[in-house]
Amino acid sequence: MKAAYRAEALTMAKLAAAEKHGKRQDETSQKRHVRDLDPLVFGSLDLRDAYDKHVAGCRMNSALKKPVLHALIQFPIQLKINQETEKRMLRNAIDFVNRTHGGDAVFAARLDRDEDGQHTVDVFFSPKYEKQTKSKGAEVWISTTKHGKELALKHQA
């Protein structure tokens, strides 16, 4: 069995669209609706509010136009769906993203249970890291590329 991971950097406008989708307020989510089950949620469906709380007090490069990453983690479709496996998929997706992106990255995640496909978890995150400078000392910064670059270097041929 194999899993898949795909991530995209989001502007704040795309984050707002993702929030509408998660709340089932857009046309696409209405078309995908096949059963009446609420999603499993980590954090909140209010993505902008969760993001603002997550990055409060953090610094980021002023040129950063896409400060949020949205990962889709597809678990093997052979997994039998029940309450326990749904909770495990959500927890494992969050743990994987945090483990590979500095430990404190995820501010929200959702496993949609009303759609046909039930093995995909949406994870929203803004990775943090501590930056040391001579002038300001230790500060927490947001970077959507730092941890990915480190991971790529670690696993290059």
Side-chain angles (χ1 to χ4, degrees), residues 2-157:
K2 294 183 180 180
Y5 169 93
R6 180 178 71 219
E8 173 188 13
L10 304 179
T11 62
M12 297 317 282
K14 285 229 179 178
L15 182 65
E19 181 174 318
K20 282 183 77 169
H21 180 77
K23 292 179 176 180
R24 301 308 191 226
Q25 297 172 343
D26 67 341
E27 190 176 325
T28 304
S29 61
Q30 295 303 315
K31 289 180 182 177
R32 291 182 181 173
H33 180 86
V34 295
R35 67 181 68 77
D36 290 324
L37 287 172
D38 291 333
L40 287 184
V41 176
F42 168 82
S44 173
L45 290 176
D46 298 322
L47 298 179
R48 180 57 193 257
D49 184 53
Y51 165 78
D52 287 342
K53 288 176 183 170
H54 180 70
V55 302
C58 297
R59 301 205 46 203
M60 66 181 79
N61 189 316
S62 61
L64 183 60
K65 303 296 183 223
K66 297 179 178 182
V68 175
L69 292 167
H70 172 214
L72 285 174
I73 299 180
Q74 173 70 44
F75 286 87
I77 58 172
Q78 296 88 348
L79 288 176
K80 183 178 170 153
I81 295 298
N82 59 45
Q83 288 181 341
E84 188 56 39
T85 56
E86 288 174 331
K87 289 177 186 175
R88 236 181 302 145
M89 286 189 295
L90 182 65
R91 184 79 251 154
N92 287 338
I94 294 163
D95 290 347
F96 173 77
V97 171
N98 275 330
R99 191 171 58 253
T100 56
H101 290 83
D104 184 16
V106 177
F107 60 85
R110 183 185 76 242
L111 185 140
D112 294 322
R113 301 184 312 157
D114 63 344
E115 297 180 356
D116 194 28
Q118 295 177 280
H119 294 82
T120 304
V121 178
D122 292 88
V123 182
F124 298 90
F125 60 110
S126 289
K128 297 179 182 181
Y129 73 101
E130 189 175 280
K131 183 176 182 177
Q132 280 284 106
T133 61
K134 288 181 182 179
S135 61
K136 295 185 180 179
E139 296 178 301
V140 179
W141 282 67
I142 298 294
S143 174
T144 55
T145 58
K146 179 185 182 333
H147 300 288
K149 286 179 184 177
E150 289 173 356
L151 197 59
L153 287 172
K154 179 181 174 184
H155 293 286
Q156 73 181 0

